[in-house]
Amino acid sequence: MIEYIRGELAELTPALAVVEAAGIGYALNISLNTFSAIQGKKEVKLYVNESLVTGGRDDSFTLFGFATKQERELYRMLITVSGVGANTARMILSASSPAELCNAIANGDEKMLKGVKGIGLKTAQRIIIDLKDKIVASGIAEELHVSSQPSANVNSAVKDEAVSALTMLGFSPAPSAKVVIGILNDQPSLPVEQVVKLALKLIK
């Protein structure tokens, strides 16, 4: 399984990014959110979701790329909903930011979801019913809110690594991010292992 691809951004359109890594050009379908995030960059890192479609006349293997883990997580949730395929999920993520989408689902905003091409009332209602509890339980909405709050002196690489380590240890991403950001706001120069050690004492 491919977790992410990091390399030179060789080609970019609002729907497709070609990333060259180790001499191989990977074509990844992207949302407008990801397009905006990587536009103008030479080197990019895209989190990957692999889509294998079999059983038809032609089997297909497609890569979808995301600028953040949160957007990929939302995409993976969306494609579990009956009636929402890979391209429809990408369309939904192109119509709003991940934070706006989380808010729409959490607040039962059918109108916002129906505004996306290809989404009718029944599908909008199904998305809300199927994903509302999952989004709350995953902490992704809170994480999206928290991730925009760190001060300018927070080392984002250290923050991401520490939150990832805490998540692997079984803690939820949102509370972990909140604690890690608090630690790094106070002590910006701490290495990852010290941040994790402190966080383990502070996470409730």
Side-chain angles (χ1 to χ4, degrees):
M1 177 182 265
I2 301 171
E3 171 64 14
Y4 64 82
I5 295 173
R6 188 205 303 270
E8 181 185 345
L9 185 59
E11 295 177 32
L12 181 66
T13 73
L16 187 77
V18 177
V19 181
E20 184 176 333
I24 300 172
Y26 296 91
L28 300 108
N29 289 288
I30 59 172
S31 70
L32 285 176
N33 282 309
T34 292
F35 172 74
S36 298
I38 65 175
Q39 195 174 18
K41 292 185 177 181
K42 290 184 178 179
E43 295 280 328
V44 296
K45 176 181 178 181
L46 293 178
Y47 295 95
V48 174
N49 187 79
E50 302 167 70
S51 176
L52 178 62
V53 178
T54 59
R57 184 186 296 176
D58 297 307
D59 293 348
S60 66
F61 180 68
T62 307
L63 298 178
F64 288 82
F66 305 91
T68 65
K69 283 186 177 181
Q70 291 95 335
E71 188 182 17
R72 182 179 64 178
E73 182 64 20
L74 277 172
Y75 172 85
R76 287 175 171 172
M77 287 185 186
L78 285 166
I79 59 175
T80 66
V81 178
S82 175
V84 179
N87 282 317
T88 303
R90 179 170 62 156
M91 192 90 71
I92 294 168
L93 286 165
S94 293
S96 60
S97 71
E100 288 168 343
L101 179 58
C102 281
N103 287 336
I105 294 171
N107 296 324
D109 189 349
E110 296 170 0
K111 188 176 179 182
M112 181 269 189
L113 292 168
K114 276 202 312 173
V116 179
K117 185 181 178 183
I119 299 291
L121 177 60
K122 285 186 178 179
T123 304
Q125 290 172 336
R126 201 177 295 125
I127 290 170
I128 291 166
I129 291 167
D130 288 3
L131 300 187
K132 189 172 184 177
D133 290 343
K134 288 183 182 178
I135 282 175
V136 172
S138 72
I140 193 168
E142 189 180 347
E143 187 180 350
L144 285 163
H145 174 70
V146 168
S147 64
S148 65
Q149 303 306 312
S151 64
N153 64 346
V154 166
N155 184 322
S156 61
V158 171
K159 176 184 80 72
D160 290 346
E161 202 171 332
V163 172
S164 177
L166 290 163
T167 303
M168 284 190 285
L169 289 170
F171 295 98
S172 296
S176 300
K178 192 176 288 186
V179 169
V180 167
I181 288 167
I183 292 168
L184 288 172
N185 277 335
D186 292 337
Q187 303 177 72
S189 60
L190 278 184
V192 172
E193 61 272 19
Q194 290 297 326
V195 173
V196 173
K197 282 180 183 178
L198 277 173
L200 286 171
K201 296 175 184 177
L202 296 170
I203 294 176
K204 296 178 180 178

mmCIF file with all atom_site columns, all heavy atoms in Angstrom, residues 20 27 35 60 68 70 89 95 117 126-127 129 140 148 166 185:
data_model
loop_
_atom_site.group_PDB
_atom_site.id
_atom_site.type_symbol
_atom_site.label_atom_id
_atom_site.label_alt_id
_atom_site.label_comp_id
_atom_site.label_asym_id
_atom_site.label_entity_id
_atom_site.label_seq_id
_atom_site.pdbx_PDB_ins_code
_atom_site.Cartn_x
_atom_site.Cartn_y
_atom_site.Cartn_z
_atom_site.occupancy
_atom_site.B_iso_or_equiv
_atom_site.pdbx_formal_charge
_atom_site.auth_seq_id
_atom_site.auth_comp_id
_atom_site.auth_asym_id
_atom_site.auth_atom_id
_atom_site.pdbx_PDB_model_num
ATOM 1   N N   . GLU A 1 20  ? 6.931   13.292 -9.886  1.00 0.00 ? 20  GLU A N   1
ATOM 2   C CA  . GLU A 1 20  ? 8.039   12.415 -10.252 1.00 0.00 ? 20  GLU A CA  1
ATOM 3   C C   . GLU A 1 20  ? 8.843   12.056 -9.016  1.00 0.00 ? 20  GLU A C   1
ATOM 4   O O   . GLU A 1 20  ? 9.348   12.939 -8.313  1.00 0.00 ? 20  GLU A O   1
ATOM 5   C CB  . GLU A 1 20  ? 8.943   13.083 -11.291 1.00 0.00 ? 20  GLU A CB  1
ATOM 6   C CG  . GLU A 1 20  ? 10.050  12.152 -11.760 1.00 0.00 ? 20  GLU A CG  1
ATOM 7   C CD  . GLU A 1 20  ? 10.915  12.743 -12.868 1.00 0.00 ? 20  GLU A CD  1
ATOM 8   O OE1 . GLU A 1 20  ? 10.410  13.606 -13.627 1.00 0.00 ? 20  GLU A OE1 1
ATOM 9   O OE2 . GLU A 1 20  ? 12.089  12.361 -12.951 1.00 0.00 ? 20  GLU A OE2 1
ATOM 10  N N   . ALA A 1 27  ? 0.681   9.720  -11.694 1.00 0.00 ? 27  ALA A N   1
ATOM 11  C CA  . ALA A 1 27  ? -0.468  10.578 -11.969 1.00 0.00 ? 27  ALA A CA  1
ATOM 12  C C   . ALA A 1 27  ? -1.496  10.379 -10.856 1.00 0.00 ? 27  ALA A C   1
ATOM 13  O O   . ALA A 1 27  ? -1.956  9.259  -10.625 1.00 0.00 ? 27  ALA A O   1
ATOM 14  C CB  . ALA A 1 27  ? -1.083  10.236 -13.314 1.00 0.00 ? 27  ALA A CB  1
ATOM 15  N N   . PHE A 1 35  ? -5.211  21.064 -5.140  1.00 0.00 ? 35  PHE A N   1
ATOM 16  C CA  . PHE A 1 35  ? -4.649  21.895 -6.215  1.00 0.00 ? 35  PHE A CA  1
ATOM 17  C C   . PHE A 1 35  ? -4.197  23.252 -5.668  1.00 0.00 ? 35  PHE A C   1
ATOM 18  O O   . PHE A 1 35  ? -3.073  23.707 -5.934  1.00 0.00 ? 35  PHE A O   1
ATOM 19  C CB  . PHE A 1 35  ? -5.696  22.099 -7.313  1.00 0.00 ? 35  PHE A CB  1
ATOM 20  C CG  . PHE A 1 35  ? -5.295  23.098 -8.373  1.00 0.00 ? 35  PHE A CG  1
ATOM 21  C CD1 . PHE A 1 35  ? -4.348  22.780 -9.325  1.00 0.00 ? 35  PHE A CD1 1
ATOM 22  C CD2 . PHE A 1 35  ? -5.877  24.365 -8.399  1.00 0.00 ? 35  PHE A CD2 1
ATOM 23  C CE1 . PHE A 1 35  ? -3.977  23.710 -10.304 1.00 0.00 ? 35  PHE A CE1 1
ATOM 24  C CE2 . PHE A 1 35  ? -5.518  25.294 -9.361  1.00 0.00 ? 35  PHE A CE2 1
ATOM 25  C CZ  . PHE A 1 35  ? -4.564  24.967 -10.325 1.00 0.00 ? 35  PHE A CZ  1
ATOM 26  N N   . SER A 1 60  ? -9.161  -1.184 -13.651 1.00 0.00 ? 60  SER A N   1
ATOM 27  C CA  . SER A 1 60  ? -8.450  0.096  -13.573 1.00 0.00 ? 60  SER A CA  1
ATOM 28  C C   . SER A 1 60  ? -7.841  0.285  -12.187 1.00 0.00 ? 60  SER A C   1
ATOM 29  O O   . SER A 1 60  ? -8.412  -0.143 -11.184 1.00 0.00 ? 60  SER A O   1
ATOM 30  C CB  . SER A 1 60  ? -9.389  1.267  -13.884 1.00 0.00 ? 60  SER A CB  1
ATOM 31  O OG  . SER A 1 60  ? -10.374 1.393  -12.885 1.00 0.00 ? 60  SER A OG  1
ATOM 32  N N   . THR A 1 68  ? -3.369  16.832 2.616   1.00 0.00 ? 68  THR A N   1
ATOM 33  C CA  . THR A 1 68  ? -3.359  16.574 4.065   1.00 0.00 ? 68  THR A CA  1
ATOM 34  C C   . THR A 1 68  ? -3.966  15.211 4.364   1.00 0.00 ? 68  THR A C   1
ATOM 35  O O   . THR A 1 68  ? -4.778  14.695 3.592   1.00 0.00 ? 68  THR A O   1
ATOM 36  C CB  . THR A 1 68  ? -4.165  17.635 4.836   1.00 0.00 ? 68  THR A CB  1
ATOM 37  O OG1 . THR A 1 68  ? -5.562  17.529 4.466   1.00 0.00 ? 68  THR A OG1 1
ATOM 38  C CG2 . THR A 1 68  ? -3.661  19.050 4.544   1.00 0.00 ? 68  THR A CG2 1
ATOM 39  N N   . GLN A 1 70  ? -6.036  14.751 6.743   1.00 0.00 ? 70  GLN A N   1
ATOM 40  C CA  . GLN A 1 70  ? -7.447  14.979 7.084   1.00 0.00 ? 70  GLN A CA  1
ATOM 41  C C   . GLN A 1 70  ? -8.343  14.889 5.852   1.00 0.00 ? 70  GLN A C   1
ATOM 42  O O   . GLN A 1 70  ? -9.417  14.302 5.897   1.00 0.00 ? 70  GLN A O   1
ATOM 43  C CB  . GLN A 1 70  ? -7.634  16.350 7.759   1.00 0.00 ? 70  GLN A CB  1
ATOM 44  C CG  . GLN A 1 70  ? -7.028  16.432 9.141   1.00 0.00 ? 70  GLN A CG  1
ATOM 45  C CD  . GLN A 1 70  ? -5.626  17.016 9.108   1.00 0.00 ? 70  GLN A CD  1
ATOM 46  O OE1 . GLN A 1 70  ? -4.939  16.943 8.092   1.00 0.00 ? 70  GLN A OE1 1
ATOM 47  N NE2 . GLN A 1 70  ? -5.197  17.599 10.211  1.00 0.00 ? 70  GLN A NE2 1
ATOM 48  N N   . ALA A 1 89  ? -16.894 11.722 -4.548  1.00 0.00 ? 89  ALA A N   1
ATOM 49  C CA  . ALA A 1 89  ? -16.229 12.137 -3.315  1.00 0.00 ? 89  ALA A CA  1
ATOM 50  C C   . ALA A 1 89  ? -15.240 13.261 -3.592  1.00 0.00 ? 89  ALA A C   1
ATOM 51  O O   . ALA A 1 89  ? -15.143 14.232 -2.840  1.00 0.00 ? 89  ALA A O   1
ATOM 52  C CB  . ALA A 1 89  ? -15.505 10.957 -2.681  1.00 0.00 ? 89  ALA A CB  1
ATOM 53  N N   . ALA A 1 95  ? -15.747 21.114 -3.717  1.00 0.00 ? 95  ALA A N   1
ATOM 54  C CA  . ALA A 1 95  ? -16.775 22.143 -3.552  1.00 0.00 ? 95  ALA A CA  1
ATOM 55  C C   . ALA A 1 95  ? -16.645 22.902 -2.238  1.00 0.00 ? 95  ALA A C   1
ATOM 56  O O   . ALA A 1 95  ? -17.224 23.973 -2.069  1.00 0.00 ? 95  ALA A O   1
ATOM 57  C CB  . ALA A 1 95  ? -18.161 21.513 -3.654  1.00 0.00 ? 95  ALA A CB  1
ATOM 58  N N   . LYS A 1 117 ? -22.580 19.052 -7.669  1.00 0.00 ? 117 LYS A N   1
ATOM 59  C CA  . LYS A 1 117 ? -23.094 18.390 -8.864  1.00 0.00 ? 117 LYS A CA  1
ATOM 60  C C   . LYS A 1 117 ? -23.147 16.881 -8.651  1.00 0.00 ? 117 LYS A C   1
ATOM 61  O O   . LYS A 1 117 ? -22.178 16.264 -8.210  1.00 0.00 ? 117 LYS A O   1
ATOM 62  C CB  . LYS A 1 117 ? -22.186 18.709 -10.057 1.00 0.00 ? 117 LYS A CB  1
ATOM 63  C CG  . LYS A 1 117 ? -22.688 18.158 -11.378 1.00 0.00 ? 117 LYS A CG  1
ATOM 64  C CD  . LYS A 1 117 ? -21.739 18.495 -12.503 1.00 0.00 ? 117 LYS A CD  1
ATOM 65  C CE  . LYS A 1 117 ? -22.218 17.890 -13.815 1.00 0.00 ? 117 LYS A CE  1
ATOM 66  N NZ  . LYS A 1 117 ? -21.270 18.141 -14.918 1.00 0.00 ? 117 LYS A NZ  1
ATOM 67  N N   . ARG A 1 126 ? -28.089 10.658 3.188   1.00 0.00 ? 126 ARG A N   1
ATOM 68  C CA  . ARG A 1 126 ? -27.341 9.433  3.508   1.00 0.00 ? 126 ARG A CA  1
ATOM 69  C C   . ARG A 1 126 ? -25.934 9.780  4.020   1.00 0.00 ? 126 ARG A C   1
ATOM 70  O O   . ARG A 1 126 ? -25.429 9.157  4.955   1.00 0.00 ? 126 ARG A O   1
ATOM 71  C CB  . ARG A 1 126 ? -27.261 8.537  2.268   1.00 0.00 ? 126 ARG A CB  1
ATOM 72  C CG  . ARG A 1 126 ? -26.977 7.061  2.592   1.00 0.00 ? 126 ARG A CG  1
ATOM 73  C CD  . ARG A 1 126 ? -26.977 6.211  1.346   1.00 0.00 ? 126 ARG A CD  1
ATOM 74  N NE  . ARG A 1 126 ? -28.287 6.156  0.721   1.00 0.00 ? 126 ARG A NE  1
ATOM 75  C CZ  . ARG A 1 126 ? -28.527 6.481  -0.545  1.00 0.00 ? 126 ARG A CZ  1
ATOM 76  N NH1 . ARG A 1 126 ? -27.561 6.897  -1.321  1.00 0.00 ? 126 ARG A NH1 1
ATOM 77  N NH2 . ARG A 1 126 ? -29.735 6.379  -1.022  1.00 0.00 ? 126 ARG A NH2 1
ATOM 78  N N   . ILE A 1 127 ? -25.297 10.756 3.388   1.00 0.00 ? 127 ILE A N   1
ATOM 79  C CA  . ILE A 1 127 ? -23.954 11.186 3.824   1.00 0.00 ? 127 ILE A CA  1
ATOM 80  C C   . ILE A 1 127 ? -24.012 11.666 5.274   1.00 0.00 ? 127 ILE A C   1
ATOM 81  O O   . ILE A 1 127 ? -23.171 11.300 6.100   1.00 0.00 ? 127 ILE A O   1
ATOM 82  C CB  . ILE A 1 127 ? -23.422 12.312 2.901   1.00 0.00 ? 127 ILE A CB  1
ATOM 83  C CG1 . ILE A 1 127 ? -23.088 11.755 1.515   1.00 0.00 ? 127 ILE A CG1 1
ATOM 84  C CG2 . ILE A 1 127 ? -22.169 12.966 3.510   1.00 0.00 ? 127 ILE A CG2 1
ATOM 85  C CD1 . ILE A 1 127 ? -22.788 12.823 0.478   1.00 0.00 ? 127 ILE A CD1 1
ATOM 86  N N   . ILE A 1 129 ? -26.351 11.005 7.608   1.00 0.00 ? 129 ILE A N   1
ATOM 87  C CA  . ILE A 1 129 ? -26.705 9.920  8.528   1.00 0.00 ? 129 ILE A CA  1
ATOM 88  C C   . ILE A 1 129 ? -25.516 8.986  8.763   1.00 0.00 ? 129 ILE A C   1
ATOM 89  O O   . ILE A 1 129 ? -25.209 8.605  9.890   1.00 0.00 ? 129 ILE A O   1
ATOM 90  C CB  . ILE A 1 129 ? -27.911 9.123  7.985   1.00 0.00 ? 129 ILE A CB  1
ATOM 91  C CG1 . ILE A 1 129 ? -29.182 9.981  8.038   1.00 0.00 ? 129 ILE A CG1 1
ATOM 92  C CG2 . ILE A 1 129 ? -28.127 7.836  8.772   1.00 0.00 ? 129 ILE A CG2 1
ATOM 93  C CD1 . ILE A 1 129 ? -30.355 9.421  7.251   1.00 0.00 ? 129 ILE A CD1 1
ATOM 94  N N   . ILE A 1 140 ? -11.804 14.393 13.694  1.00 0.00 ? 140 ILE A N   1
ATOM 95  C CA  . ILE A 1 140 ? -11.221 15.081 12.542  1.00 0.00 ? 140 ILE A CA  1
ATOM 96  C C   . ILE A 1 140 ? -11.681 16.534 12.444  1.00 0.00 ? 140 ILE A C   1
ATOM 97  O O   . ILE A 1 140 ? -10.908 17.411 12.081  1.00 0.00 ? 140 ILE A O   1
ATOM 98  C CB  . ILE A 1 140 ? -11.523 14.316 11.232  1.00 0.00 ? 140 ILE A CB  1
ATOM 99  C CG1 . ILE A 1 140 ? -10.651 14.856 10.099  1.00 0.00 ? 140 ILE A CG1 1
ATOM 100 C CG2 . ILE A 1 140 ? -12.979 14.385 10.847  1.00 0.00 ? 140 ILE A CG2 1
ATOM 101 C CD1 . ILE A 1 140 ? -10.672 13.985 8.872   1.00 0.00 ? 140 ILE A CD1 1
ATOM 102 N N   . SER A 1 148 ? -5.283  24.779 12.720  1.00 0.00 ? 148 SER A N   1
ATOM 103 C CA  . SER A 1 148 ? -5.102  26.139 12.216  1.00 0.00 ? 148 SER A CA  1
ATOM 104 C C   . SER A 1 148 ? -4.734  27.121 13.328  1.00 0.00 ? 148 SER A C   1
ATOM 105 O O   . SER A 1 148 ? -4.562  28.309 13.084  1.00 0.00 ? 148 SER A O   1
ATOM 106 C CB  . SER A 1 148 ? -6.390  26.611 11.536  1.00 0.00 ? 148 SER A CB  1
ATOM 107 O OG  . SER A 1 148 ? -7.433  26.697 12.488  1.00 0.00 ? 148 SER A OG  1
ATOM 108 N N   . LEU A 1 166 ? 1.761   9.747  18.868  1.00 0.00 ? 166 LEU A N   1
ATOM 109 C CA  . LEU A 1 166 ? 0.732   9.600  19.896  1.00 0.00 ? 166 LEU A CA  1
ATOM 110 C C   . LEU A 1 166 ? -0.485  8.852  19.355  1.00 0.00 ? 166 LEU A C   1
ATOM 111 O O   . LEU A 1 166 ? -1.098  8.047  20.060  1.00 0.00 ? 166 LEU A O   1
ATOM 112 C CB  . LEU A 1 166 ? 0.320   10.982 20.424  1.00 0.00 ? 166 LEU A CB  1
ATOM 113 C CG  . LEU A 1 166 ? 1.388   11.698 21.265  1.00 0.00 ? 166 LEU A CG  1
ATOM 114 C CD1 . LEU A 1 166 ? 1.069   13.185 21.387  1.00 0.00 ? 166 LEU A CD1 1
ATOM 115 C CD2 . LEU A 1 166 ? 1.508   11.064 22.647  1.00 0.00 ? 166 LEU A CD2 1
ATOM 116 N N   . ASN A 1 185 ? 4.152   25.634 21.708  1.00 0.00 ? 185 ASN A N   1
ATOM 117 C CA  . ASN A 1 185 ? 4.002   27.085 21.880  1.00 0.00 ? 185 ASN A CA  1
ATOM 118 C C   . ASN A 1 185 ? 4.865   27.583 23.040  1.00 0.00 ? 185 ASN A C   1
ATOM 119 O O   . ASN A 1 185 ? 5.441   28.668 22.989  1.00 0.00 ? 185 ASN A O   1
ATOM 120 C CB  . ASN A 1 185 ? 2.533   27.445 22.138  1.00 0.00 ? 185 ASN A CB  1
ATOM 121 C CG  . ASN A 1 185 ? 1.724   27.559 20.858  1.00 0.00 ? 185 ASN A CG  1
ATOM 122 O OD1 . ASN A 1 185 ? 2.278   27.823 19.796  1.00 0.00 ? 185 ASN A OD1 1
ATOM 123 N ND2 . ASN A 1 185 ? 0.426   27.340 20.941  1.00 0.00 ? 185 ASN A ND2 1
#
